[in-house]
Amino acid sequence: MVLAAERDDDRRLEVADVESGLDAASLPSSAVDRQDSLFREAVRGGHHAGAAGHSEQDSSWRTLRLAFQCVGILYGDVGTSPLYVYSTTFDHGVGHPDDVLGVLSLIIYSFMLFTVVKIVFVALHANDDGDGGTFALYSLISRYAKVSLIPNHQAEDELVSSYSKHGKPSATLRRANWLKHLLETSKSAKISLFLLTILAIAMVISDAVLTPPISVLSAVSGLKEKVPDLTTDQIVWITVAILVVLFAIQRFGTDKVGYSFAPIILLWLLLIGGVGLYNLIKYDVGVLRSFNPKYIIDYFRRNRKEGWVTLGDILLVFTGTEALFANLGYFSIRSIQLSFSFGLLPSVLLTYIGQAAYLRKHPEHFADIFYRSVPSTLFWPTFILAIAASIIGSQAMISCAFATVSHLQTLSCFPRVRILHTSKRFHGQLYVPEVNLLLCVAACLVTVSFKTTTIIGKAHEICVILVMIITTLLMTIVMLLVWRISIWWIALFFFIYIPIESIYLSSVLYKFTHGPYIPVAMSAVLMMVMIVWHYVHAKRYKYELKHTLSPKRAQELLEHHDLKRVSGVGLFYTELVQGIPPIFPHLIEKIPTIHSVLVFVSIKHLHVPHVDASERFLFRQVEPKEYKVFRCVARYGYRDSLDEEAEGFVHALVESLQYYIRDVSLYSADEMQNVSYPISRDQSLSREKPSGRHAVYAEEMITPIQSFSELTTLSNGLSNRLPQFQASKMNIAELAKIEEEQKFIQRETEKGVVYILGETEVVARPQSSLLKKIVVNYIYSFLRKNFVQGEKMLSIPHGKLLKVGISYEI
């Protein structure tokens, strides 16, 4: 296939320039975004940088602006954890005065080890071209090893500029190749990796259900301090009202929400940090001894099993930190590290230290330690900010859930839902109406059902620890396969985090019936939906791949004497990226008519965050050429939006198709035979790259001419610019013929475009097992019928839509 590229100067990026060491500040922001994850600018997909100084100034300003937004979007959940951590950990009271020091020491070192070191300063660098989270790790691994369970990989995909790979020699490369071979050849390894990924994703969505109730409920409960007559049911319904408002404002978008929330969270962090410092000085400066880890050892010696059981409660300290990594696509590494190090970290640690100092003097106040430790004159400001901060604390997980569902659809693991991009400036900011409604209903049900934060808090713990363990496992694979760093660093990372996280997990599982069963049950339902949808999708794809039309059969259909041609362009949508789908002869059989120009269009998501518009389309013409039948693959990244008007898509496709017709006609047939196909990215990049406008081909990187009139004015310099072309051998008549073909495509487009969509019904074979029949005929069928249809996902005008029904037995 040949990639027909748009020729916009402002989209030009030569890979050779990047490899030659060109300063990042002089590159367009899109070029900077494609750098290795350890070399990331804060500018994320915007506009061209001007002079180097202006670019640096603009980058710094954008980093500060994103850092400000980080506070509102990411830190509300972590910042409101002091509302309930001590009361949950000491739910049976403080047994020994030094237990406070032991728990504080556990809080400090757990927070530093898991949040600061692992997430903020290690995991954020294990991103996929600027996007973080479990799915991004899986996508990054998928680029370096073919682990997808759907056989739709194409060699041309590796020519996409953001699909870059970096190799290292010697032992690290041998280990990477061994792991790559294992992942690609072992079906059990592929399935295990897939299941780990969707388990983590399901836990994140479940956490998004639990975070709003516990955050808001814990804050509203403070009213009892001033209004003792307030009943539990009244507190619950106040919480439900606040949750409804929170989910209702999601439609305004993360960009607007972030700016409105950030000042509130900043005030909250300053307030709780200041109160913590006040309590430290007033009650017991000696709690600073907790920085000595010996108090952790003493704590376990005294409490033994009870101490081990409380480990799960310590996880509540950093609930929500998984959203820091998953929501990286909304912001940048620098902005998160800046706001975390100088905003969240000192405030939260001072709060826990101050509460510990208060508990040393008043251990009997363990149940409501947060509000008890606040000076009476500051109660109402603290309460109001606590309510606001707890609302905002849910925002990170809600945003994370939206991004997660978007990613699931690119994996073909979730039924179709409409995904709206709420910001034109920051591509990662999403809103999913159906998911928002489901989260709202589930959160309200959890609140009404359990009424207190105790069970919800216990349920939180298993979400946090399972996501942490899976992140560690996937990061280890990334270190071996992608980073290819020293085995000693990898072993150090793995053997520090996996044993410690396993101990935390054992503590959580011990209390399974006291709360953790809730997210496990929700995750089981979500995983069932994901597995069923992906299983049937993969089976259907393999069925279509097996029954694709042979070139001879396709030619017979097109040359059949009963086949009529009608004016206009037909876009036949199919998920198959290889060959002509079996539904096409079914259409010809029912309606023996095709359009003057017919294009089989496949929408394909690559394992990259973004695909540049100039690299969007791949084309191949179906023989015989005079019938003007083409195959097209439209490639998107998993963060690219499909929410564009159909007319805009058609315009881009037709323009690229015209370039394809021109360039493939100019290409020398003799030289086409000398080009190896498929060609690897490394081979392609080793060739000389001409400057100026360019198109990326599966076979070669070339520089097409801007217009046909330009060909007639060029003389001796033509062969130097286009050594691969036979243009110098072509006469004016042949060039005019090519131009006429382009005009023909344009004229047919102006006559009208019809969108042909396959409506495929999938059923299990009669001899299939009972389980398979239930999965395919009932569960999958229910999901397919009750979610958004394909034409709505693709914004296809209803009046120009033609559906073709067919049934497959798998």
Side-chain angles (χ1 to χ4, degrees):
M1 282 191 179
V2 180
L3 174 68
E6 294 182 19
R7 279 37 174 201
D8 299 331
D9 278 328
D10 61 329
R11 290 177 177 169
R12 174 163 43 88
L13 172 65
E14 291 294 340
V15 179
D17 291 338
V18 178
E19 294 181 341
S20 66
L22 194 64
D23 181 61
S26 63
L27 290 173
S29 60
S30 58
V32 176
D33 287 340
R34 295 190 189 116
Q35 301 297 321
D36 184 72
S37 59
L38 297 178
F39 181 62
R40 178 83 48 208
E41 290 291 335
V43 182
R44 302 193 39 135
H47 49 277
H48 279 276
H54 179 268
S55 176
E56 292 175 2
Q57 183 180 4
D58 182 71
S59 176
S60 299
W61 170 246
R62 179 171 294 206
T63 299
L64 291 174
R65 185 169 55 191
L66 290 176
F68 179 75
Q69 279 190 293
C70 282
V71 177
I73 300 299
L74 300 183
Y75 302 147
D77 193 9
V78 187
T80 54
S81 293
L83 286 167
Y84 47 80
V85 168
Y86 279 118
S87 60
T88 305
T89 305
F90 293 116
D91 55 349
H92 298 300
V94 180
H96 188 280
D98 283 350
D99 284 353
V100 175
L101 298 180
V103 169
L104 177 58
S105 189
L106 274 171
I107 289 173
I108 292 172
Y109 284 101
S110 296
F111 195 79
M112 297 297 292
L113 183 64
F114 293 114
T115 304
V116 179
V117 177
K118 179 183 173 181
I119 299 297
V120 176
F121 288 100
V122 177
L124 289 187
H125 290 287
N127 64 79
D128 182 18
D129 196 21
D131 286 275
T134 306
F135 181 86
L137 290 176
Y138 180 79
S139 294
L140 189 59
I141 293 169
S142 298
R143 292 220 300 275
Y144 286 77
K146 299 179 182 67
V147 297
S148 175
L149 297 174
I150 300 176
N152 63 349
H153 178 78
Q154 295 173 285
E156 297 92 337
D157 296 340
E158 298 186 20
L159 296 178
V160 173
S161 54
S162 56
Y163 213 100
S164 59
K165 299 181 180 180
H166 305 276
K168 291 187 178 181
S170 69
T172 59
L173 181 57
R174 289 195 296 271
R175 281 194 298 270
N177 288 336
W178 171 82
L179 181 59
K180 179 176 184 292
H181 181 265
L182 174 66
L183 293 174
E184 291 182 344
T185 57
S186 172
K187 187 174 182 179
S188 60
K190 290 182 180 180
I191 294 175
S192 298
L193 190 62
F194 173 76
L195 290 177
L196 280 175
T197 302
I198 65 171
L199 172 59
I201 289 173
M203 281 294 171
V204 168
I205 297 175
S206 299
D207 202 358
V209 173
L210 298 173
T211 296
I214 190 174
S215 299
V216 178
L217 194 56
S218 60
V220 175
S221 297
L223 273 177
K224 284 188 175 181
E225 294 294 320
K226 297 295 183 181
V227 189
D229 295 335
L230 202 62
T231 66
T232 300
D233 287 341
Q234 288 172 329
I235 290 177
V236 166
W237 288 110
I238 292 172
T239 302
V240 169
I242 294 174
L243 291 177
V244 171
V245 173
L246 168 64
F247 285 101
I249 65 174
Q250 294 302 313
R251 63 189 181 90
F252 295 109
T254 310
D255 187 30
K256 300 179 182 64
V257 169
Y259 274 119
S260 60
F261 283 176
I264 299 173
I265 294 296
L266 275 177
L267 286 175
W268 169 254
L269 293 177
L270 290 173
L271 176 63
I272 63 174
V275 170
L277 182 60
Y278 168 81
N279 288 332
L280 172 64
I281 297 172
K282 180 178 179 179
Y283 293 107
D284 188 4
V285 180
V287 295
L288 294 176
R289 291 175 293 167
S290 296
F291 281 95
N292 186 344
K294 93 174 187 66
Y295 286 97
I296 297 177
I297 300 173
D298 294 341
Y299 176 73
F300 287 121
R301 281 177 179 172
R302 277 192 308 273
N303 297 280
R304 298 184 180 275
K305 180 181 176 180
E306 287 73 16
W308 164 68
V309 171
T310 60
L311 274 179
D313 301 323
I314 302 299
L315 291 170
L316 295 176
V317 172
F318 40 89
T319 179
T321 54
E322 64 270 23
L324 297 180
F325 187 27
N327 282 335
L328 177 59
Y330 288 69
F331 306 104
S332 67
I333 295 176
R334 288 183 180 180
S335 63
I336 293 176
Q337 290 177 339
L338 181 67
S339 58
F340 187 94
S341 301
F342 296 100
L344 179 74
L345 181 61
S347 297
V348 169
L349 286 185
L350 276 174
T351 305
Y352 287 120
I353 292 171
Q355 288 184 2
Y358 182 88
L359 268 181
R360 291 275 289 178
K361 298 297 183 182
H362 304 283
E364 69 278 7
H365 293 162
F366 67 91
D368 50 358
I369 172 63
F370 180 81
Y371 284 106
R372 289 280 191 170
S373 65
V374 174
S376 59
T377 55
L378 293 178
F379 175 84
W380 285 112
T382 303
F383 174 77
I384 294 172
L385 281 176
I387 295 292
S390 63
I391 295 173
I392 298 166
S394 309
Q395 184 61 49
M397 294 312 303
I398 295 172
S399 300
C400 187
F402 292 158
T404 297
V405 170
S406 172
H407 296 162
L408 282 174
Q409 291 203 333
T410 66
L411 266 183
S412 300
C413 290
F414 201 79
R416 298 185 182 111
V417 290
R418 189 68 181 269
I419 298 171
L420 305 178
H421 288 245
T422 58
S423 174
K424 296 181 179 180
R425 303 177 62 186
F426 306 108
H427 297 294
Q429 301 185 358
L430 312 174
Y431 171 63
V432 186
E434 295 88 347
V435 173
N436 188 63
L437 178 61
L438 291 175
L439 289 177
C440 180
V441 172
C444 292
L445 286 176
V446 167
T447 305
V448 173
S449 300
F450 300 108
K451 299 183 185 297
T452 65
T453 60
T454 304
I455 297 179
I456 304 174
K458 303 294 183 185
H460 247 94
E461 299 167 7
I462 197 166
C463 296
V464 176
I465 191 60
L466 283 179
V467 173
M468 286 170 53
I469 291 176
I470 294 172
T471 299
T472 300
L473 294 173
L474 295 183
M475 283 181 60
T476 302
I477 296 176
V478 168
M479 291 176 179
L480 285 166
L481 185 66
V482 182
W483 288 0
R484 302 176 188 176
I485 58 177
S486 170
I487 191 64
W488 299 110
W489 287 112
I490 300 174
L492 181 66
F493 175 83
F494 184 84
F495 289 110
I496 285 178
Y497 283 100
I498 286 296
I500 297 176
E501 291 169 351
S502 299
I503 294 172
Y504 278 87
L505 177 62
S506 66
S507 172
V508 173
L509 292 177
Y510 181 79
K511 301 172 290 185
F512 184 80
T513 58
H514 295 166
Y517 71 90
I518 300 171
V520 169
M522 289 190 291
S523 297
V525 174
L526 287 170
M527 286 189 68
M528 183 195 70
V529 171
M530 297 178 203
I531 291 171
V532 167
W533 192 267
H534 189 76
Y535 170 78
V536 178
H537 179 84
K539 285 288 186 182
R540 185 181 66 184
Y541 191 93
K542 291 175 182 178
Y543 177 92
E544 291 188 331
L545 188 61
K546 182 180 179 181
H547 293 85
T548 53
L549 269 68
S550 65
K552 182 179 180 181
R553 174 61 178 151
Q555 185 169 348
E556 289 176 355
L557 279 175
L558 293 174
E559 293 178 341
H560 197 277
H561 66 278
D562 290 335
L563 186 65
K564 299 181 176 60
R565 307 301 296 267
V566 295
S567 60
V569 175
L571 298 185
F572 198 124
Y573 283 88
T574 172
E575 294 182 355
L576 201 65
V577 299
Q578 304 103 328
I580 297 177
I583 196 174
F584 178 62
H586 179 72
L587 171 65
I588 298 300
E589 178 185 345
K590 302 299 180 183
I591 309 174
T593 304
I594 63 172
H595 291 83
S596 299
V597 178
L598 181 64
V599 184
F600 292 94
V601 181
S602 300
I603 305 295
K604 180 179 180 180
H605 286 92
L606 304 186
H607 291 292
V608 293
H610 302 285
V611 174
D612 191 82
S614 64
E615 301 172 307
R616 178 81 67 218
F617 299 105
L618 288 168
F619 289 98
R620 182 183 291 279
Q621 189 162 11
V622 178
E623 298 290 344
K625 293 185 177 181
E626 58 267 20
Y627 281 84
K628 302 292 188 297
V629 178
F630 304 88
R631 286 167 45 211
C632 169
V633 178
R635 304 179 298 180
Y636 292 83
Y638 57 79
R639 280 197 178 271
D640 285 334
S641 172
L642 290 177
D643 188 30
E644 61 177 325
E645 294 298 325
E647 289 78 5
F649 176 82
V650 171
H651 175 77
L653 186 148
V654 170
E655 183 180 14
S656 295
L657 178 58
Q658 290 174 315
Y659 284 129
Y660 165 79
I661 291 172
R662 181 191 66 189
D663 295 343
V664 78
S665 300
L666 290 174
Y667 218 98
S668 167
D670 295 335
E671 288 169 351
M672 284 280 284
Q673 295 175 359
N674 296 329
V675 176
S676 61
Y677 183 85
I679 188 170
S680 69
R681 180 176 174 84
D682 293 336
Q683 288 174 313
S684 177
L685 293 181
S686 66
R687 303 183 180 183
E688 181 180 356
K689 306 294 188 303
S691 60
R693 296 180 174 85
H694 73 286
V696 183
Y697 286 74
E699 298 84 2
E700 187 65 79
M701 297 275 290
I702 66 170
T703 307
I705 302 301
Q706 185 174 11
S707 65
F708 288 101
S709 59
E710 186 179 346
L711 286 171
T712 62
T713 60
L714 293 174
S715 55
N716 297 332
L718 179 63
S719 60
N720 294 329
R721 290 188 59 191
L722 296 172
Q724 301 91 353
F725 286 156
Q726 60 170 356
S728 59
K729 304 176 184 178
M730 301 181 72
N731 55 41
I732 300 300
E734 290 172 323
L735 295 176
K737 181 180 178 181
I738 296 172
E739 190 167 10
E740 178 56 34
E741 288 189 39
Q742 287 187 314
K743 291 181 178 179
F744 175 80
I745 298 290
Q746 187 61 42
R747 285 196 302 268
E748 294 303 316
T749 303
E750 292 171 355
K751 291 178 182 178
V753 177
V754 173
Y755 304 85
I756 307 170
L757 201 63
E759 193 75 7
T760 306
E761 181 182 3
V762 181
V763 296
R765 293 177 180 175
Q767 63 270 28
S768 300
S769 65
L770 178 62
L771 177 61
K772 185 174 181 179
K773 289 180 180 179
I774 293 174
V775 167
V776 177
N777 298 348
Y778 295 98
I779 301 177
Y780 175 80
S781 178
F782 173 82
L783 293 173
R784 187 178 67 85
K785 292 176 181 178
N786 287 277
F787 282 86
V788 177
Q789 299 301 307
E791 65 271 17
K792 294 181 180 178
M793 288 288 296
L794 300 171
S795 301
I796 295 176
H798 186 72
K800 299 181 180 180
L801 175 65
L802 173 64
K803 286 188 176 183
V804 183
I806 193 171
S807 180
Y808 293 156
E809 287 188 354
I810 62 173

